Amino acid sequence: MEYVVFVGYENDAERKRVDYLLSKWAEKATVRKPGGLVFFIKTEKAEEFLEELLSKLEGDPREKVEVYRVEEEVLVTKTKKKTLHYTIDEEKKVVERFIGYLLSKLNASYAYSDAMAKVYSAYTRKGRATLKVLLRGDGKTEVTIEIEGYGDVVDFLADKIEEELKIFAGD
């Protein structure tokens, strides 16, 4: 099965991550990044458009133009989600500082806060994930960390966080 994939990216770092992925997948699939001009056109007059396009090119246009009929396919890939729960015998402020240290160690950056939790984004070699951190309590602190992402990144981050929190909590 062949696919044409359009990927929008916001910066050069994101584009490079996609380029790296394409290089990695070149061993598992046929991956080709066409040179020249690549575009998507939706029309009921394809023959008319192609005739006009071919008339604009020099040399043998059949050697320069490849046309594929595209049928949109919505690939449904669900995010993975994992929720970690801990009760730690420390004041909320102490736990909050440790969680901040742990998240910075995991290269997670603060994204925003909602009414209940702080939300962070983490970029790792396994991919990108969102972490939602909720802290409650006095004396003892209840910690809930929800990790959401695609692929291996969720389990990767969950393992790292569990390892560190077990040491911190004294388990």
Side-chain angles (χ1 to χ4, degrees), residues 141-160:
T141 306
E142 291 180 35
V143 178
T144 303
I145 302 174
E146 184 180 282
I147 307 164
E148 187 173 0
Y150 294 96
D152 297 335
V153 69
V154 173
D155 290 329
F156 175 75
L157 286 172
D159 291 345
K160 293 278 188 193

Side-chain angles (χ1 to χ4, degrees), residues 36-156:
L37 183 61
V38 179
F39 58 91
F40 175 80
I41 183 170
K42 186 175 186 176
T43 180
E44 298 298 320
K45 299 179 179 184
E47 292 291 327
E48 186 179 329
F49 171 77
L50 287 172
E51 189 175 284
E52 194 170 334
L53 172 66
L54 296 175
S55 74
K56 306 290 184 206
L57 301 173
E58 296 175 13
D60 186 355
R62 291 172 297 189
E63 292 178 4
K64 296 181 178 182
V65 178
E66 292 179 60
V67 179
Y68 298 91
R69 186 172 53 82
V70 176
E71 187 175 303
E72 185 176 9
E73 182 172 334
V74 178
L75 298 174
V76 180
T77 303
K78 293 183 181 179
T79 58
K80 286 185 179 179
K81 207 180 246 188
K82 194 173 236 183
T83 304
L84 308 174
H85 298 283
Y86 296 93
T87 301
I88 300 174
D89 289 328
E90 289 288 345
E91 293 290 326
K92 185 177 171 183
K93 284 191 177 220
V94 173
V95 175
E96 193 169 29
R97 273 189 256 132
F98 178 77
I99 296 290
Y101 156 76
L102 174 58
L103 292 174
S104 69
K105 186 175 172 181
L106 295 172
N107 292 323
S109 57
Y110 175 79
Y112 64 91
S113 294
D114 63 21
M116 300 287 292
K118 289 184 179 180
V119 180
Y120 298 82
S121 287
Y123 292 93
T124 74
R125 58 186 164 85
K126 299 289 186 178
R128 187 188 71 77
T130 301
L131 297 98
K132 196 172 200 176
V133 179
L134 172 62
L135 303 174
R136 290 186 302 244
D138 288 321
K140 285 188 177 190
T141 306
E142 291 180 35
V143 178
T144 303
I145 302 174
E146 184 180 282
I147 307 164
E148 187 173 0
Y150 294 96
D152 297 335
V153 69
V154 173
D155 290 329
F156 175 75

